[in-house]
Amino acid sequence: MSVIRRLPRYYRFLLELKNSGELRVSSHDLAAKMGSTASQVRQDLNCFGGFGQQGYGYDVPKLFEEIRVILGLEHDYKAVLLGVGNLGRAVINHISFENHGFTLMAAFDSNPSLIGTEIRGMTVRDVAELEEYCGVNRMDAAFLCLPKESVEQPGEILYRSGVRAFWNFSHFDLAMKYPDAIVENVHLSDSLMTLRYRMNDSRSEDKA
Amino acid sequence: MSVIRRLPRYYRFLLELKNSGELRVSSHDLAAKMGSTASQVRQDLNCFGGFGQQGYGYDVPKLFEEIRVILGLEHDYKAVLLGVGNLGRAVINHISFENHGFTLMAAFDSNPSLIGTEIRGMTVRDVAELEEYCGVNRMDAAFLCLPKESVEQPGEILYRSGVRAFWNFSHFDLAMKYPDAIVENVHLSDSLMTLRYRMNDSRSEDKA
DNA sequence: TAGATTGTTAATCGATTAACAATC
DNA sequence: TAGATTGTTAATCGATTAACAATC
């Protein structure tokens, strides 16, 4: 697992420490929270620079700020969300986009009973307007909360309008279709199946 | 990345191939779908046994069945879901539990306006009944679609009732609290932040 | 100074890729 | 048999851990 998968967790823990007023933290303490080793923490942080101080540890607010910069959170990207079903609504309501470097500009759906409804201060738009919207408002990223079958066409529109970053909850293989795009997949059912597989060992005990 | 993270994807692609009537597939073909290499596919499949045939490839229905068994999908585990907000509803409505080795027995929430409502044939129960329910019906797994603050108490109840497998959507650190439990975390915001980080390189072009 | 803890190098471990003999 | 493709070993690569000198 590469460093960048761990950065968001460092960021979260540092934010917690900062909010609870901690001023310093050692690689050992951070490792305990992360469930990793002090050695790895130091190795990870040194990928980006020497943020610590020998004999002291790391300055919490400083390290927090450094990671903020590494993650690029001081600059916001504009994003649209497609699919305002339960999953889309969960994303809209529970994710703090401001704290993750995005501004959610608009949400789209094709369901007439959803179009025009309000959600977190946004009016749900008709996906038929997507092309026009993305032509006028240059978007940086798209969050795809659609079923597999419904991704291809709006994906094409988004790509043609210049969007090159996708947060994809479907099993549609965007990365294959658009090799130059940045695709972050969230495959919930794969995750569930991994859980299921990991339960197999313990099962033998039940049966024995 | 370990083999077991890739197994669910092999399974999915094999199911597709099977449904489209394909009878054979080569490591090369599978690799193309997976976005990996023929070498890795053969290495992966050989972890579990020699399922292929030299000069021919892999028999699709046979390999599918083998992976089904490896994943343990012929045996169902009983699960409860906690938190019937948007995220919980998305999970209930969009995940095919039968196809992932689980039977979803009950859903719980603490919100009075949700308790008693119907969802996919289930009546949402009061989380206050959780302890009694898990005492009577031995559960194998729990799907936690709750915010961080709301996980600790029901988590304790579930653990005491014998549940040792958790699909956890919150940032509450179950793995740390229950070292003997199997915890599969889905951290949506970490995933989004990884996307954000990966967009940084391309940003420099915009600015240049 | 003495103690603590980083930065960094070297050693280890595991996963991926390459190569090719085995064999259908 | 000839062609294809696996199974499997060896080589490479990258990530993790261990160790310790540097230094606050």
Side-chain angles (χ1 to χ4, degrees), chain B:
Chain B
M1 197 198 234
S2 66
V3 190
I4 84 141
R5 292 274 150 197
R6 284 190 293 269
L7 277 182
R9 305 188 61 216
Y10 285 118
Y11 185 74
R12 266 200 285 129
F13 291 130
L14 254 349
L15 179 60
E16 275 177 23
L17 286 169
K18 191 177 155 242
N19 285 343
S20 65
E22 300 289 331
L23 291 177
R24 54 177 285 198
V25 66
S26 68
S27 54
H28 184 84
D29 298 343
L30 258 183
K33 278 187 185 288
M34 295 282 292
S36 76
T37 66
S39 202
Q40 179 162 81
V41 169
R42 293 203 298 280
Q43 196 76 274
D44 281 353
L45 297 178
N46 264 64
C47 289
F48 303 101
F51 305 137
Q53 195 174 61
Q54 278 107 329
Y56 176 84
Y58 297 86
D59 180 273
V60 169
K62 181 173 167 242
L63 185 56
F64 175 78
E65 199 49 43
E66 294 286 1
I67 296 184
R68 230 182 103 75
V69 171
I70 293 164
L71 286 168
L73 297 185
E74 78 295 358
H75 178 269
D76 256 24
Y77 277 138
K78 290 189 217 161
V80 285
L81 181 143
L82 273 59
V84 191
N86 285 310
L87 181 59
R89 284 204 294 278
V91 166
I92 293 173
N93 285 318
H94 301 304
I95 300 282
S96 158
F97 298 103
E98 319 80 78
N99 289 330
H100 293 79
F102 291 99
T103 301
L104 183 58
M105 304 295 287
F108 294 83
D109 206 294
S110 60
N111 184 339
S113 68
L114 290 173
I115 296 167
T117 59
E118 287 270 321
I119 179 164
R120 229 190 190 185
M122 283 185 307
T123 303
V124 177
R125 292 166 192 260
D126 188 332
V127 76
E129 301 169 18
L130 180 65
E131 184 154 22
E132 197 204 332
Y133 185 89
C134 290
V136 176
N137 310 277
R138 188 71 177 273
M139 289 295 120
D140 302 301
F143 307 152
L144 305 177
C145 306
L146 301 160
K148 185 180 182 187
E149 322 75 72
S150 313
V151 171
E152 185 157 21
Q153 280 134 39
E156 182 71 30
I157 292 170
L158 290 162
Y159 185 86
R160 280 208 315 268
S161 83
V163 174
R164 289 293 178 277
F166 297 92
W167 196 23
N168 175 37
F169 286 80
S170 81
H171 282 149
F172 184 85
D173 196 342
L174 281 162
M176 167 140 312
K177 191 168 178 195
Y178 306 113
D180 66 330
I182 298 162
V183 180
E184 175 77 15
N185 290 312
V186 181
H187 291 337
L188 296 184
S189 62
D190 287 10
S191 165
L192 181 60
M193 216 180 252
T194 301
L195 176 70
R196 179 62 190 76
Y197 173 81
R198 296 208 278 148
M199 292 169 73
N200 280 334
D201 296 336
S202 26
R203 186 185 47 182
S204 35
E205 298 161 29
D206 301 354
K207 282 195 170 169

Side-chain angles (χ1 to χ4, degrees), chain A residues 2-44:
Chain A
S2 65
V3 191
I4 85 139
R5 292 273 149 198
R6 284 190 294 269
L7 277 182
R9 305 188 61 219
Y10 285 117
Y11 185 75
R12 266 200 285 129
F13 291 130
L14 253 351
L15 179 59
E16 276 178 21
L17 287 169
K18 190 176 156 245
N19 285 343
S20 65
E22 299 289 331
L23 291 177
R24 54 179 284 196
V25 66
S26 70
S27 56
H28 184 84
D29 298 343
L30 257 183
K33 278 187 186 287
M34 295 284 291
S36 76
T37 65
S39 202
Q40 179 162 82
V41 169
R42 294 203 298 278
Q43 197 77 272
D44 282 353

